[in-house]
Amino acid sequence: MNNSTTITVASADTVAVKRRKKLHQHNQYESLIPGLPDDIAQICLSHVQPSTLYSVCQSWRRLVYSPSFPPFLSIYSLLKPSKSEENSVQFANFDPISAKWNLLPPPPLNPPLRLLLRHRSFISRHLPIQSVSVSGNFILLAATTDPLLPALSRPLVFNPLTRKWISGPRFETPRRWCVAGASQGVVYVASGIGSSYNPEVARSVEKWDLKSNCTKYSCNQHDKNKVWKWEKMSGLKDGKFSREAIEAVGWRGKLCMVNVQGDAAKEGIIYDVGSDTWQEMPEGMLVGWRGPAAAMEEEVIYTVDESKGALRKYGPGSDSWIMILENEMLKGAQHMAAAGGRVCVVCGGGDGIAVVDVTAEPPSLVVVETPVGFQVLDVHILPRMNQLDSESKDEC
């Protein structure tokens, strides 16, 4: 992944003008591979790295962003102005092939979504915005709005391939400062607070199964035979997990979580999604959990020791954490995601995203720069957006 310092947004009018221009320039149809039907050519080209196709010619560049081409993975983040105290958030995508940041369309809500990042009652910290990635979708789950109330009555789901937002099922209890996670295509929220602290809410757990209405890359909220809904599950024994915005990491049919971030003393618990039961976290896992964590394909958990800048993976056989690499860019790590052999870590202060290739020997690290004047609030790895304006990519 390369660095980028700009955000680009293409309008529908601009796309139309460029399309007419290209039609005028190309009187003859340009085949993908001369002498081969396009469907056969596309099968051949699907085995080539998208970055290579992008750099060769315009027709291959358009193919990379077409709905029929296998989508490559890219980074999705929430961005905030770095020098502004305003409660302004942008949803954005970093395309590793073109090395550019692109804004996502805003959720089509009326009135517009208003998320609080700063409040006079919490001078030294941002108010959390919690999201997960499930079945190729970005899902916004919890945040705060004025006057310190849950911002969302239902989750908001963005599908990169359709470039559209849809609404999920209404929460039984809207929350903020809660546990949020996903496992095997199912979203979980737990604990937290609503409009005020309630011990029942602080112990409660709900799940929403997207699989009933989703394929690998799309969701259909209009299928009348499959109803999206939240279901109550076995609750927590106490409300100790309502003090922070907590990421529950999906791992081998379980959700793993700790109730305090960083090096502070903490408690760890594990939820078995199959048996709907809770258990204590193994001692070695708990002791080494000293920063953000994420699981690669729900099989391998990685964590960053935010004070040392050390990336480690968990070895369940020895109940210990195995060193991957140590790097200054990982110090102060805030959020992370893992997919496709890459671990993406939000650097301290939100100034960049460190991307670690854990499949390389030795593991390698590069930094994706944030757009000028912005900081990163979180990170997800999802399929790239289909480009309705694919012709505009030819001008990059």
Side-chain angles (χ1 to χ4, degrees):
M1 294 186 181
N2 299 320
N3 294 350
S4 172
T5 57
T6 60
I7 295 181
T8 60
V9 183
S11 69
D13 290 343
T14 302
V15 172
V17 169
K18 289 183 177 180
R19 184 179 294 114
R20 288 194 296 270
K21 180 180 178 181
K22 289 187 180 294
L23 287 173
H24 177 74
Q25 290 174 341
H26 299 281
N27 294 323
Q28 261 190 327
Y29 173 73
E30 185 178 2
S31 60
L32 292 174
I33 299 178
L36 282 182
D38 275 357
D39 55 345
I40 303 300
Q42 183 169 321
I43 293 173
C44 298
L45 295 175
S46 66
H47 296 284
V48 181
Q49 287 291 333
S51 56
T52 301
L53 298 177
Y54 183 89
S55 63
V56 173
C57 63
Q58 293 178 352
S59 62
W60 289 8
R61 184 177 295 192
R62 287 193 294 272
L63 174 65
V64 166
Y65 293 96
S66 69
S68 60
F69 194 81
F72 55 84
L73 294 176
S74 59
I75 292 173
Y76 291 77
S77 293
L78 268 68
L79 304 177
K80 68 169 289 290
S82 54
K83 295 184 179 180
S84 172
E85 294 300 315
E86 295 182 6
N87 290 295
S88 174
V89 177
Q90 301 281 1
F91 299 93
N93 158 247
F94 177 77
D95 179 342
I97 304 301
S98 66
K100 288 189 176 181
W101 285 92
N102 301 280
L103 293 181
L104 275 60
L109 300 178
N110 189 18
L113 185 65
R114 175 174 168 76
L115 307 179
L116 279 185
L117 286 175
R118 310 287 293 183
H119 191 273
R120 60 183 179 276
S121 300
F122 302 91
I123 297 175
S124 62
R125 64 184 301 176
H126 287 135
L127 298 177
I129 298 173
Q130 294 178 261
S131 55
V132 297
S133 52
V134 182
S135 302
N137 299 280
F138 169 82
I139 304 179
L140 186 63
L141 283 173
T144 302
T145 192
D146 271 330
L148 290 179
L149 295 172
L152 299 168
S153 60
R154 58 179 71 221
L156 295 174
V157 183
F158 179 77
N159 182 274
L161 301 189
T162 62
R163 298 172 59 101
K164 292 182 179 179
W165 291 88
I166 60 174
S167 297
R170 187 174 294 275
F171 291 112
E172 291 286 333
T173 303
R175 307 167 192 253
R176 56 196 178 97
W177 295 63
C178 62
V179 175
S183 176
Q184 301 174 351
V186 181
V187 179
Y188 293 83
V189 293
S191 196
I193 58 177
S195 56
S196 60
Y197 179 80
N198 182 307
E200 289 189 11
V201 172
R203 294 192 299 269
S204 66
V205 180
E206 298 178 51
K207 77 172 186 179
W208 163 34
D209 188 351
L210 274 77
K211 296 193 301 295
S212 63
N213 248 19
C214 287
T215 63
K216 184 176 181 182
Y217 292 124
S218 65
C219 293
N220 177 17
Q221 64 175 346
H222 302 298
D223 188 337
K224 303 301 182 182
N225 297 318
K226 300 174 181 179
V227 179
W228 271 354
K229 62 181 179 179
W230 288 97
E231 301 176 51
K232 290 186 177 181
M233 309 304 292
S234 295
L236 296 153
K237 65 179 180 180
D238 53 44
K240 292 182 180 179
F241 283 76
S242 62
R243 301 171 182 172
E244 297 270 2
I246 295 169
E247 296 177 353
V249 179
W251 174 67
R252 300 185 180 184
K254 298 178 174 63
L255 287 170
C256 308
M257 65 202 82
V258 297
N259 67 337
V260 178
Q261 299 176 356
D263 287 331
K266 57 179 69 71
E267 293 185 19
I269 55 174
I270 293 178
Y271 175 72
D272 188 312
V273 303
S275 62
D276 188 27
T277 57
W278 294 90
Q279 62 193 62
E280 296 297 319
M281 180 176 285
E283 182 179 358
M285 178 184 278
L286 177 61
V287 169
W289 198 307
R290 299 181 178 179
M296 185 82 70
E297 322 304 344
E298 298 194 25
E299 280 297 318
V300 181
I301 295 183
Y302 295 86
T303 188
V304 172
D305 185 327
E306 60 186 64
S307 62
K308 295 182 179 180
L311 174 67
R312 301 185 176 100
K313 68 177 181 180
Y314 180 65
S318 60
D319 186 27
S320 62
W321 293 89
I322 303 163
M323 176 69 75
I324 302 296
L325 63 75
E326 192 168 329
N327 192 286
E328 286 290 320
M329 296 303 301
L330 300 180
K331 288 186 176 180
Q334 298 177 346
H335 297 278
M336 62 187 292
R342 306 294 191 275
V343 174
C344 296
V345 182
V346 177
C347 301
D351 297 323
I353 298 173
V355 180
V356 181
D357 183 350
V358 294
T359 66
E361 187 59 47
S364 60
L365 182 150
V366 297
V367 176
V368 173
E369 296 179 358
T370 52
V372 174
F374 286 89
Q375 292 177 322
V376 179
L377 295 177
D378 73 352
V379 63
H380 296 278
I381 304 174
L382 291 165
R384 60 97 176 101
M385 285 195 293
N386 270 350
Q387 295 295 335
L388 305 180
D389 56 345
S390 60
E391 292 85 349
S392 70
K393 292 288 179 181
D394 299 333
E395 305 298 327
C396 298

